[in-house]
Amino acid sequence: MEALLLGAGLLLAAYVLVYYNLVKAPRCGGIASLRGRTAVVTGANSGIGKMTALELARRGARVVLACRSRERGEAAAFDLRQESGNNEIIFMALDLASLASVRAFATTFLSSEPRLDILIHNAGISSCGRTREPFNLLLRVNHIGPFLLTHLLLPRLKTCAPSRVVVVSSAAHRRGRLDFTCLDRPVVGWRQELRAYADSKLANVLFARELSTQLEGTGVTCYAAHPGPVNSELFLRHVPKWLRPLLCPLAWLVLRAPRGGAQTPLYCALQEGIEPLSGRYFANCRVEEVLPAARDDRVAHRLWEASIKLAGLGPEEDVEPKEDLLPEDPGTPSSLSSTHSKKPTVFESHANLPKLPDLSKVTHRIPVKTEPEPQTS
């Protein structure tokens, strides 16, 4: 009997350690009111994306749910309007696997929405499922699609600066190794899928890093965010049905709820004073050092150039804002900080800086500070 009690006590103690170190997520604070601001959240019909959109809506933002399924996207918009009390939540169709869909979304958004203050790339896949495409579907959905969408929406982000871009990545990026000789090769088999997923998450981290370099001085900042181990559809989507009854209770015990997983992306989108950390990787609502492969500026720039080609962006691509698409309201606040803030934020110091030229024509690098080597114990 004593042995059983001792064993139960040890298990409980172990779970408490796991819970407070892995499962329990710190709460995001940041800007209290987002009235007058507009946010786009991709993949916001469920999981982390839906909880992220809910919190933005509760703070008064106009939120665009960019989702592939119209039925699920409109249902999510209805649910979020009911739960948040904010009617400024709308659905727009976006399929990141289709570059044509990405362009169509950007055209629709730019022609109907005068502002864009926060862009959160949450949508992603962990497996190709039964789909067989002539390209790397994991890289397309997790990186190339978001890359193209960011590129097309940059004029609006710059016009509304200070603004932010958040790319939801993963700790799986540590296993990624980009091979530029076969970057877009189709993925076949679960081993290749695991590798391709890690590669796409590494691409997310490098993309945020290079984007911050390209946008230095524009008032647009960007961050890579790791939501932590989350019990979401992404986790169970490709698990065999017979295995789900066994995994679901375990997932409930050791994985975060989607609301907890949304905290770090929200922190990157809302926390004041982190502008100098643009381009960095965040986990558990704090900046975290990454391995050398994830902070290699040369590889990040090479990925940028390869992504331009894979996204179909030619040197003639027009990304400058059209005057007739920018009906700016002079009465709308342009800072992500609260209108009641007593101190000016770092955002406000960039408000009058010149616009960035067409990123597809950039042929030089802007030097950036590199963070020190991570300390090992």
Side-chain angles (χ1 to χ4, degrees):
M1 187 64 180
E2 291 180 356
L4 288 175
L5 291 175
L6 178 61
L10 290 174
L11 285 175
L12 180 61
Y15 177 71
V16 169
L17 288 174
V18 170
Y19 178 81
Y20 281 101
N21 286 280
L22 294 177
V23 181
K24 183 177 173 59
R27 302 293 296 177
C28 167
I31 303 162
S33 175
L34 294 174
R35 295 192 182 280
R37 284 86 169 182
T38 298
V40 170
V41 184
T42 67
N45 59 276
S46 64
I48 298 171
K50 189 174 183 180
M51 292 299 100
T52 300
L54 175 61
E55 185 59 33
L56 295 173
R58 281 175 170 168
R59 299 186 188 212
R62 177 174 174 82
V63 184
V64 176
L65 311 184
C67 312
R68 183 177 60 175
S69 168
R70 176 171 296 276
E71 181 181 358
R72 299 184 67 189
E74 290 181 342
F78 177 82
D79 292 343
L80 293 176
R81 286 192 292 265
Q82 294 291 107
E83 191 167 351
S84 67
N86 181 349
N87 289 324
E88 294 293 301
I89 304 173
I90 62 172
F91 160 81
M92 286 190 187
L94 172 67
D95 182 358
L96 290 169
S98 166
L99 299 182
S101 175
V102 175
R103 288 181 176 274
F105 173 90
T107 299
T108 301
F109 181 88
L110 293 174
S111 64
S112 62
E113 298 294 328
R115 296 194 61 85
L116 178 56
D117 303 272
I118 302 170
L119 173 59
I120 300 181
H121 293 296
N122 164 80
I125 58 174
S126 59
S127 169
C128 299
R130 297 180 180 178
T131 303
R132 290 293 175 261
E133 303 289 353
F135 49 80
N136 184 335
L137 183 63
L138 281 155
L139 188 75
R140 172 71 68 88
V141 174
N142 294 352
H143 170 62
I144 299 300
F147 175 90
L148 175 60
L149 183 60
T150 303
H151 191 97
L152 297 175
L153 297 182
L154 269 178
R156 191 58 47 85
L157 285 162
K158 290 185 289 182
T159 300
C160 298
S163 52
R164 294 186 180 182
V165 179
V166 180
V167 185
V168 177
S169 184
S170 166
H173 81 271
R174 297 168 185 162
R175 303 191 303 272
R177 294 293 182 271
L178 296 178
D179 184 350
F180 289 96
T181 64
C182 56
L183 199 61
D184 201 36
R185 181 178 297 173
V187 177
V188 180
W190 66 269
R191 288 187 178 86
Q192 286 190 23
E193 287 183 349
L194 288 176
R195 168 67 185 273
Y197 176 75
D199 291 348
S200 70
K201 295 293 105 178
L202 174 59
N204 291 156
V205 178
L206 292 171
F207 170 47
R209 187 177 184 87
E210 179 66 14
L211 184 61
S212 71
T213 300
Q214 299 282 356
L215 295 177
E216 187 171 303
T218 66
V220 183
T221 53
C222 50
Y223 312 89
H226 171 42
V230 179
N231 183 12
S232 66
E233 284 190 7
L234 190 65
F235 171 71
L236 292 173
R237 185 176 297 169
H238 305 295
V239 173
K241 291 184 179 180
W242 64 267
L243 191 56
R244 292 184 185 184
L246 298 176
L247 288 181
C248 284
L250 181 63
W252 183 82
L253 285 172
V254 301
L255 299 180
R256 291 176 180 172
R259 188 182 303 274
Q263 297 310 305
T264 298
L266 285 167
Y267 179 91
C268 292
L270 303 175
Q271 184 63 35
E272 297 172 284
I274 64 170
E275 297 84 359
L277 298 174
S278 179
R280 300 287 294 276
Y281 174 83
F282 284 75
N284 291 317
C285 294
R286 62 176 182 267
V287 70
E288 186 173 288
E289 299 296 344
V290 293
L291 298 175
R295 49 188 167 86
D296 188 322
D297 289 328
R298 181 180 55 84
V299 174
H301 187 62
R302 188 178 179 186
L303 174 65
W304 179 276
E305 293 177 332
S307 300
I308 286 175
K309 296 178 181 178
L310 292 176
L313 291 167
E316 73 286 351
E317 188 79 21
D318 178 17
V319 297
E320 289 302 314
K322 303 292 191 299
E323 294 299 326
D324 60 341
L325 295 182
L326 299 173
E328 188 70 28
D329 180 4
T332 302
S334 62
S335 172
L336 279 175
S337 60
S338 171
T339 55
H340 302 293
S341 176
K342 295 181 181 179
K343 297 181 180 180
T345 67
V346 181
F347 279 7
E348 294 168 348
S349 65
H350 296 303
N352 297 314
L353 287 175
K355 295 178 182 178
L356 188 71
D358 186 345
L359 295 182
S360 65
K361 300 177 183 177
V362 173
T363 57
H364 64 280
R365 296 267 295 154
I366 301 173
V368 293
K369 295 180 181 180
T370 57
E371 53 273 23
E373 294 285 341
Q375 299 297 315
T376 58
S377 56

